[in-house]
Amino acid sequence: MEKALVVERVAQLIGVYVLSEGKVLRGIPRGKVLKKTRIYAGDYVLGKEIDDQTFAIEEVLDRKNVLVRPPIANVDRVICVMTIQKPDFDNYLLDSLLVVYDHVGCKPVIIFNKVDILDEEGRQELKRWTSIYADAGYDVFHVSAKTGEGLDKVVQLVEGEICILAGPSGVGKSSILKHLTGEELRTGEVSEKTHRGRHTTTGVKLIPFGSGSFIGDTPGFSRVEVLQFVRKRDVKNYFREFLRYECKYPDCTHLREPGCEVREALKRGEISCERYKSYLKMLKEYIEELKEICG
Ligand SMILES: Nc1nc2c(ncn2[C@@H]2O[C@H](COP(=O)(O)OP(=O)(O)O)[C@@H](O)[C@H]2O)c(=O)[nH]1
Ligand SMILES: [Mg+2]
Ligand SMILES: [Zn+2]
């Protein structure tokens, strides 16, 4: 049997990319797959080509994760796209994305797009935020979808991976996708012809690029409620810089406990106040001491 990747999922339509040949066929579920299995974009499947347009799907391989919005399985990498200016950087949104995507096991990476339009103040801000996130333990890239600057490094990093673009609307996700793949796609919308005429349905599409990579666009969202995805007591595990410290109590929440090494690190300036403030905000907590430490 041959291995293929589901790259299009629109209503009842399934498009599969036959990995050995690099072509897209219409996938038809067969046998045991037909009844009980949901099929997502990003699913790896086994089956056979029946003719030059059709691929019979005999088996859906186990998936390592499924993202819900949009539904995509086996996401290796989430490219969090942000800007410093136009629109202004929203660090709380980025911190929320980083927590949620680390929790579901998709490696997040940070891209600051639109570096071509930054003024002097913008460049200073870019420098400041870049060191905050690099110190916290994330890969940070500076790119411009307009000039193409910096995107080659991103392509190298995600070689062979299934990626999605996440971030608020207007930061340039669709522009980056277009630069990487040459395809123009209206986010989350795939036009479908029916006997009643044209209408648009929500669909998911992964597009091949680079060497063996696939990428999907997502609609922009300006808010993520972390506690809908991650239990309150687990949020601390997804602030990477906190994991370097060993507190007196192993289950320390880094809020008010004595012997909290994370708060000591905050006082010494090893953990950024901005990141710690995001942590408190996610937990809907407040500590009096923060004013003294961070001003
Ligand atoms: N100057 C500049 N403009 C950009 C860049 N990337 C995107 N844009 C513009 O920003 C606007 C929003 O881009 P779009 O890709 O639709 O953002 P999305 O909502 O995240 O998909 C469009 O007018 C783009 O032309 C960039 O790197 N530099
Ligand atoms: Mg878009
Ligand atoms: Zn602690």
Side-chain angles (χ1 to χ4, degrees):
M1 286 208 283
E2 268 197 279
K3 193 171 174 185
L5 174 68
V6 177
V7 289
E8 280 180 67
R9 196 72 183 86
V10 185
Q12 293 311 305
L13 267 182
I14 302 171
V16 302
Y17 183 97
V18 183
L19 292 165
S20 62
E21 291 165 81
K23 64 181 178 191
V24 179
L25 302 177
R26 178 163 185 171
I28 310 282
R30 280 287 173 82
K32 62 176 180 174
V33 174
L34 195 57
K35 294 183 205 79
K36 61 177 171 116
T37 329
R38 268 220 65 176
I39 298 180
Y40 298 94
D43 271 331
Y44 289 101
V45 299
L46 297 178
K48 302 189 215 28
E49 285 183 50
I50 330 182
D51 57 47
D52 60 359
Q53 288 170 45
T54 324
F55 186 92
I57 301 171
E58 306 280 356
E59 193 178 338
V60 179
L61 301 179
D62 288 343
R63 46 183 84 98
K64 70 170 186 182
N65 57 34
V66 185
L67 297 190
V68 286
R69 227 189 102 202
I72 304 181
N74 297 315
V75 175
D76 296 301
R77 179 78 69 174
V78 177
I79 301 174
C80 299
V81 183
M82 296 284 145
T83 47
I84 295 293
Q85 294 172 330
K86 294 185 181 176
D88 285 348
F89 180 45
D90 178 351
N91 68 301
Y92 183 62
L93 177 67
L94 176 59
D95 292 334
S96 302
L97 293 175
L98 295 174
V99 166
V100 170
Y101 288 126
D102 252 343
H103 173 71
V104 292
C106 313
K107 293 170 287 184
V109 56
I110 303 165
I111 280 189
F112 286 108
N113 187 36
K114 304 198 191 184
V115 295
D116 59 292
I117 56 161
L118 294 179
D119 56 21
E120 185 47 38
E121 192 192 334
R123 279 193 290 274
Q124 289 302 323
E125 279 290 282
L126 178 68
K127 219 170 134 184
R128 186 169 80 87
W129 287 111
T130 298
S131 69
I132 287 176
Y133 287 99
D135 289 350
Y138 297 93
D139 285 327
V140 184
F141 294 89
H142 298 171
V143 310
S144 165
K146 190 174 177 190
T147 66
E149 176 185 349
L151 282 168
D152 48 337
K153 287 203 200 96
V154 179
V155 174
Q156 274 172 29
L157 179 81
V158 303
E159 191 177 318
E161 298 182 335
I162 296 177
C163 312
I164 61 160
L165 293 160
S169 72
V171 292
K173 297 182 299 301
S174 299
S175 306
I176 289 171
L177 183 119
K178 176 150 192 281
H179 194 96
L180 295 178
T181 66
E183 275 200 47
E184 208 144 1
L185 200 69
R186 269 211 292 165
T187 304
E189 287 182 351
V190 180
S191 197
E192 198 195 0
K193 227 178 194 149
T194 66
H195 59 278
R196 289 203 204 102
R198 283 190 99 75
H199 72 151
T200 50
T201 38
T202 309
V204 187
K205 191 170 178 191
L206 292 171
I207 305 165
F209 74 102
S211 33
S213 309
F214 292 84
I215 193 158
D217 205 354
T218 63
F221 33 82
S222 51
R223 263 187 72 96
V224 175
E225 189 56 57
V226 170
L227 296 185
Q228 275 180 10
F229 300 94
V230 185
R231 286 182 304 187
K232 194 173 172 185
R233 66 170 178 276
D234 292 335
V235 173
K236 62 180 160 69
N237 301 332
Y238 306 110
F239 274 76
R240 293 182 178 181
E241 64 272 52
F242 294 0
L243 305 177
R244 297 178 194 139
Y245 301 94
E246 212 168 304
C247 303
K248 182 173 173 198
Y249 302 108
D251 59 349
C252 185
T253 60
H254 320 312
L255 296 171
R256 296 167 198 92
E257 293 94 334
C260 175
E261 291 301 323
V262 166
R263 250 187 6 263
E264 291 306 313
L266 181 71
K267 285 178 195 162
R268 292 193 300 268
E270 291 168 24
I271 284 177
S272 112
C273 281
E274 307 292 358
R275 292 271 297 163
Y276 189 77
K277 280 179 195 165
S278 286
Y279 176 64
L280 292 181
K281 192 169 167 184
M282 269 171 221
L283 299 190
K284 305 182 198 317
E285 292 278 355
Y286 174 80
I287 61 163
E288 191 59 44
E289 215 187 346
L290 193 67
K291 263 196 236 125
E292 289 160 43
I293 305 173
C294 296

